[in-house]
Amino acid sequence: MRIAVVGGGPAGLYFSALMKQLDPTHDITVWERNAPDDTFGFGVVFSDETLGGIENADAEFYATMAARFARWTDIDIHLDGHRHTVGGQGFAAMSRQDLLALLQQRCAALGVMTHFRTPAPDVDQLRRQYDLVVASDGSNSRIRARYADDFQPSLDVRHNKYIWLGTDQVFEAFQFFIKQTRWGTMQVHGYPYSESGSTFIVEMHSDVWRAAGFDATEGAELPPGSSDEFALARIRELFDAELGGHRLLGNHSRWLEFTTVRNARWTSGTVVLLGDAAHTAHFSIGSGTKLAMEDALALAACLHEHHDPGAALAAYEAERRPVVESTQRAAQASLEWFENIGVYARQEPIEFCFNLLTRSRRITYDNLRARDERFARLIGSRFAERTGGHADTPAMFQPYQLGPLRLKNRILVSAMDMYSAVDGVPGDLHLVHLGSKALGGAALVMTEMVCVSAPGRITPGCAGLWTGEQERQWRRIVEFVHARSTARIGVQLGHSGRKGSTRLMWDGMDDPLPDGNWEIIGPSPLPYGPGSATPREMTRADMDVVRDEFVAAAERAAACGFDVLELHCAHGYLLSSFLSPVANQRGDEYGGGIENRLRYPLEVFDAVAAVWPADRALLVRISATDWVPDGNTADDAVRIAAAFVAHGAHGIDVSTGQVTKDEKPAYGRTYQTPFADRIRHEVAAGTGTAVIAVGAISSYDDVNSILLAGRADLCALGRTHLYDPQWTLNAAAEQEYRGAGADWPVQFAAGSRRPPTARTDAIRPRLSLLRPETTGDDVHVRWRPCAPQTADR
């Protein structure tokens, strides 16, 4: 093949070296507009997985890299003058300039033609002359811009300001310096990369940056290759203690805003994007160089394995895209955490450290325990101190006071529609469904959305609470839960609004009934989505009727004996649609700004609260974002939650979306938890109000991690309990927990131990029994280039 590579960074050079080794007859030419010794930044960090791939592909090149690595396992978090150290992580870093030099030497030795200080020819010319054009020209890729219609790039410019610097101070480990200043929180990401220097990245929210006076050079035209000397001088002054008398170094350093690059496609004919041209991930989650070199490995392998270049490029994208998107989700969570770092200032230091470590959701409590058991035990014991629990009890099994109600643990069964009621009357399936979940160990079991009227149903199979027969059947279920378990049971009351009169879920979710069975209403005559029925705009008289239906249903729920009532103001149903500008475009006092859109939901909440018994808990479920540009955002969710808390809600159940069919959620593991996190710290802190996290929470490790980091007080799991109705009890058995937080029904007590697995007759070698047990200090390896790299003792 004749291959043109545009961009002589790590991605382009490493790909070229790999391809030339796979087949020396490949004709590969690289164009790099900068000089060979020009480089931006200081150090690059690699994961063990990436290094394993490099070693496997090119052991000789790996050996030359490894000889220059700085290696360590510790993370130091400096907070309020104290250092907290976590070990067992495993890092390898090297100078970016050294890496480029090694790659240039490798390419030259293999016969790759490289043109430095030379812009590449026009890409259309390259397409005519070469079999493949590799666009590795960085995050500001000109080739990507040239074929934007094919690649369909999206550029997400973030809110923080950062500047990439270096220092001749050689750190011993990864450093997070969290500095509280009179302008706000600033942070430093620092790590060693050689025997003589470390990377020193300063980051802060743009509001803090401006307040601290760093905007003095905003808009100034800096000469090419120069650094913002004003910023360097100011940072030297602010971080004098952290620098410890060492020099602060610039290298083309100026303030930047991180841009997350995504592309709908990575190929356009014979042109393929590689590295930062295809995608970027925030530096707080790892090195863009790491991702770029992984791309190069995959692209070279796919081209070698497929004779047809088109098939090779398709295989490359199919292989790498899921990995990259997973990394970008983690990076997005991490960068958003640092954008909001100021809200965590009130956290207890150990909780803050764990929150920081688990910000991307890639490190969990169990993961940390495997790496540094001593620090993990400290996290658990501090959580127990704060909550009044026992240090040896997993966080999920610590009790919780939900308003006036005591819960035995912190697990809820989410409301899940069964679509199996007849004329709104729950039947035996509801008894088995809710009864089994209560017997399964959860502290609180929520009903599906119970509709307050026949026209307020979503489907003909939805349950209700507007007749005496419905009340009697719900009472039967409540009495079973109370008699046979120690769980609490809650009712979720709602009205379908514009999402009503639709088919059963398995017959076509959100599709209208074929005969338009009943009239639907909403705040505005706007359909839920294409093909949906258009609701009639509610009058003030309609609002009075519906409010009174909620009150009547709440009174029936109290008579049934429900312990908790949750007002459903989420997922695009009636009260949710009043809250969202996507569904509410009224011109009266119930539409417009957020205060007006809150008016009717708060009116219903107050009316329900007036009749709900004071010794029972009252919750509100909200959609924290609509996942569309013109809808509610996390900022709006904070204001909505604050309003309900001010009106007396004992808890906020934080879900997202389902307000419009146009939504584009950012799905992923525990993807909704960051919204709960914000509300807990910005609204609920100090109020005693519970915040409930929901959404793709499926493991007890995730639950414990969320609770220990202070992101929520309770966790609600839905589909997980459908998969395993006794999930909570099984989680106790898996963690070898026995206590009041996971009380097995006497009939099931024989199952409270994990069943035996396949027998093994393996015998541990006798001599290993004579060795002293490790103390845990071996997980703490520091980078001390002048001394042997051994564990800190």
Side-chain angles (χ1 to χ4, degrees):
M1 295 183 69
R2 297 195 73 225
I3 303 173
V5 179
V6 181
L13 292 175
Y14 188 48
F15 165 77
S16 301
L18 290 171
M19 287 299 292
K20 200 68 172 173
Q21 289 178 85
L22 289 168
D23 186 345
T25 67
H26 288 318
D27 177 2
I28 304 173
T29 305
V30 179
W31 284 271
E32 170 53 51
R33 59 189 304 134
N34 293 314
D37 55 353
D38 284 347
T39 185
F40 302 96
F42 292 88
V44 293
V45 182
F46 296 99
S47 67
D48 290 339
E49 293 83 357
T50 305
L51 294 177
I54 293 172
E55 183 177 19
N56 185 65
D58 187 347
E60 181 181 341
F61 177 68
Y62 173 80
T64 62
M65 287 179 63
R68 291 163 171 79
F69 283 156
R71 289 187 179 272
W72 70 96
T73 64
D74 281 358
I75 296 175
D76 293 340
I77 302 171
H78 302 261
L79 183 67
D80 297 330
H82 299 282
R83 187 184 83 181
H84 307 273
T85 298
V86 185
Q89 307 301 313
F91 296 97
M94 67 184 296
S95 160
R96 180 177 170 84
Q97 190 162 16
D98 284 353
L99 175 63
L100 283 172
L102 292 177
L103 285 167
Q104 291 163 9
Q105 293 165 16
R106 188 67 169 149
C107 284
L110 291 166
V112 174
M113 177 63 70
T114 306
H115 300 289
F116 292 104
R117 301 186 182 89
T118 308
D122 182 79
V123 66
D124 286 338
Q125 177 184 338
L126 293 176
R127 293 181 81 156
R128 290 191 297 270
Q129 296 178 346
Y130 289 84
D131 302 310
L132 180 69
V133 179
V134 178
S136 56
D137 51 344
S139 59
N140 296 316
S141 170
R142 295 184 180 184
I143 295 177
R144 186 187 65 222
R146 177 75 165 269
Y147 300 117
D149 289 345
D150 290 341
F151 296 125
Q152 298 177 42
S154 68
L155 308 178
D156 180 16
V157 182
R158 301 307 304 179
H159 310 304
N160 272 13
K161 294 279 190 177
Y162 72 96
I163 186 167
W164 206 288
L165 303 167
T167 175
D168 60 2
Q169 179 180 184
V170 181
F171 294 132
E172 295 183 355
F174 207 109
Q175 306 292 314
F176 285 111
F177 295 107
I178 313 300
K179 195 174 190 71
Q180 302 298 341
T181 73
R182 60 192 177 96
W183 306 285
T185 305
M186 302 178 185
Q187 63 265 11
V188 170
H189 310 245
Y191 56 87
Y193 61 81
S194 72
E195 297 181 353
S196 58
S198 302
T199 296
F200 196 89
I201 306 169
V202 180
E203 185 186 21
M204 66 196 74
H205 195 279
S206 57
D207 292 343
V208 177
W209 175 84
R210 200 170 298 280
F214 285 111
D215 60 342
T217 54
E218 186 175 21
E221 291 291 335
L222 299 176
S226 64
S227 296
D228 184 340
E229 295 299 336
F230 174 81
L232 266 68
R234 188 97 169 92
I235 290 168
R236 287 188 192 100
E237 177 186 350
L238 286 169
F239 290 93
D240 178 67
E242 289 76 11
L243 288 166
H246 290 269
R247 291 189 300 154
L248 187 68
L249 309 171
N251 178 7
H252 312 284
S253 303
R254 64 274 314 271
W255 290 108
L256 301 169
E257 294 165 322
F258 189 83
T259 301
T260 300
V261 175
R262 299 179 178 89
N263 286 275
R265 297 181 61 206
W266 294 355
T267 60
S268 171
T270 57
V271 178
V272 60
L273 301 178
L274 193 70
D276 284 355
H279 49 71
T280 60
H282 193 252
F283 53 82
S284 64
I285 199 64
S287 169
T289 303
K290 163 193 173 304
L291 281 177
M293 293 183 73
E294 289 173 350
D295 280 359
L297 278 165
L299 180 58
C302 290
L303 286 165
H304 186 64
E305 293 165 357
H306 295 81
H307 295 296
D308 174 40
L313 296 183
Y316 156 69
E317 186 166 348
E319 176 183 335
R320 286 297 294 160
R321 183 176 285 279
V323 176
V324 167
E325 289 180 348
S326 175
T327 301
Q328 286 188 314
R329 285 193 295 269
Q332 187 75 9
S334 181
L335 75 85
E336 289 179 5
W337 192 91
F338 279 110
E339 286 176 345
N340 296 298
I341 192 171
V343 306
Y344 305 114
R346 293 186 296 269
Q347 282 192 296
E348 186 269 335
I350 296 300
E351 183 183 44
F352 176 92
C353 290
F354 185 69
N355 198 347
L356 185 154
L357 292 167
T358 58
R359 65 194 181 279
S360 72
R361 306 192 288 274
R362 288 201 158 182
I363 293 179
T364 64
Y365 177 70
D366 276 4
N367 180 267
L368 182 64
R369 188 170 59 179
R371 301 179 187 209
D372 189 341
E373 186 174 0
R374 183 176 297 173
F375 193 80
R377 286 200 304 268
L378 178 61
I379 293 165
S381 64
R382 292 292 174 84
F383 182 82
E385 290 174 11
R386 291 194 304 272
T387 61
H390 299 286
D392 58 350
T393 298
M396 64 183 288
F397 292 113
Q398 302 282 7
Y400 186 76
Q401 190 70 32
L402 180 61
L405 200 65
R406 186 74 166 174
L407 300 180
K408 62 181 179 182
N409 62 48
R410 295 174 181 243
I411 300 299
L412 280 61
V413 175
S414 285
M416 294 175 282
D417 282 323
M418 295 291 105
Y419 305 106
S420 299
V422 178
D423 295 328
V425 178
D428 288 346
L429 184 138
H430 297 83
L431 174 64
V432 172
H433 164 58
L434 296 170
S436 66
K437 307 307 180 292
L439 291 169
L444 173 60
V445 177
M446 294 300 302
T447 70
E448 61 194 82
M449 185 176 93
V450 175
C451 304
V452 298
S453 67
R457 290 174 296 165
I458 310 164
T459 75
C462 288
L465 197 44
W466 69 85
T467 72
E469 180 59 20
Q470 293 163 358
E471 181 182 333
R472 283 188 291 274
Q473 292 304 316
W474 280 121
R475 184 182 296 115
R476 178 173 75 114
I477 293 168
V478 171
E479 288 173 350
F480 176 89
V481 169
H482 286 161
R484 293 293 184 176
S485 77
T486 55
R488 306 287 191 166
I489 183 168
V491 61
Q492 185 188 74
L493 292 184
H495 187 294
S496 60
R498 68 178 187 162
K499 294 177 73 174
S501 194
T502 59
R503 299 172 186 260
L504 302 181
M505 180 180 68
W506 42 84
D507 290 335
M509 187 170 179
D510 296 322
D511 291 343
L513 290 169
D515 300 324
N517 210 289
W518 63 82
E519 181 187 48
I520 59 174
I521 56 176
S524 300
L526 300 170
Y528 173 59
S532 299
T534 300
R536 177 174 61 79
E537 181 170 300
M538 291 178 70
T539 65
R540 180 61 249 190
D542 293 324
M543 294 183 201
D544 292 341
V545 169
V546 171
R547 178 202 59 211
D548 293 345
E549 288 170 345
F550 270 98
V551 170
E555 290 174 329
R556 289 185 182 277
C560 291
F562 282 106
D563 304 293
V564 174
L565 186 151
E566 180 174 84
L567 191 65
H568 201 346
C569 296
H571 298 171
Y573 300 118
L574 183 68
L575 299 181
S576 170
S577 62
F578 265 93
L579 293 171
S580 172
V582 171
N584 181 354
Q585 296 180 13
R586 298 176 70 96
D588 60 8
E589 66 269 32
Y590 298 100
I594 188 70
E595 294 82 5
N596 282 2
R597 301 199 308 272
L598 269 162
R599 194 183 302 274
Y600 184 61
L602 288 174
E603 178 184 326
V604 174
F605 177 86
D606 290 342
V608 167
V611 300
W612 187 244
D615 60 347
R616 307 185 203 180
L618 185 56
L619 311 178
V620 177
R621 190 171 214 192
I622 66 170
S623 284
T625 179
D626 294 343
W627 296 115
V628 290
D630 298 326
N632 279 332
T633 66
D635 292 336
D636 297 312
V638 167
R639 298 175 67 183
I640 291 168
F644 282 111
V645 170
H647 280 244
H650 296 126
I652 305 295
D653 189 352
V654 187
S655 187
T656 65
Q658 302 180 51
V659 175
T660 171
K661 282 189 177 181
D662 295 331
E663 68 176 4
K664 293 183 179 179
Y667 290 120
R669 198 178 103 255
T670 69
Y671 71 105
Q672 295 180 145
T673 300
F675 300 97
D677 189 1
R678 276 199 65 183
I679 289 170
R680 186 174 189 270
H681 286 91
E682 295 185 40
V683 176
T687 67
T689 306
V691 172
I692 304 166
V694 307
I697 302 170
S698 57
S699 71
Y700 65 76
D701 188 23
D702 280 337
V703 171
N704 286 329
S705 299
I706 289 167
L707 298 173
L708 290 167
R711 297 190 173 97
D713 302 291
L714 302 164
C715 290
L717 294 81
R719 292 177 176 87
T720 304
H721 281 111
L722 295 180
Y723 176 78
D724 179 3
Q726 292 184 233
W727 180 84
T728 306
L729 292 180
N730 289 334
E734 292 286 337
Q735 296 173 84
E736 299 182 347
Y737 166 72
R738 289 172 171 271
D743 52 336
W744 286 72
V746 293
Q747 296 88 346
F748 299 168
S752 61
R753 289 188 178 88
R754 291 180 62 186
T757 56
R759 180 182 175 182
T760 175
D761 293 324
I763 299 173
R764 190 179 181 190
R766 286 184 66 251
L767 288 179
S768 69
L769 298 176
L770 304 178
R771 294 173 183 168
E773 293 295 326
T774 60
T775 63
D777 287 335
D778 54 329
V779 303
H780 294 294
V781 175
R782 315 284 287 182
W783 172 241
R784 291 169 181 163
C786 296
Q789 290 302 294
T790 56
D792 233 1
R793 297 292 183 185

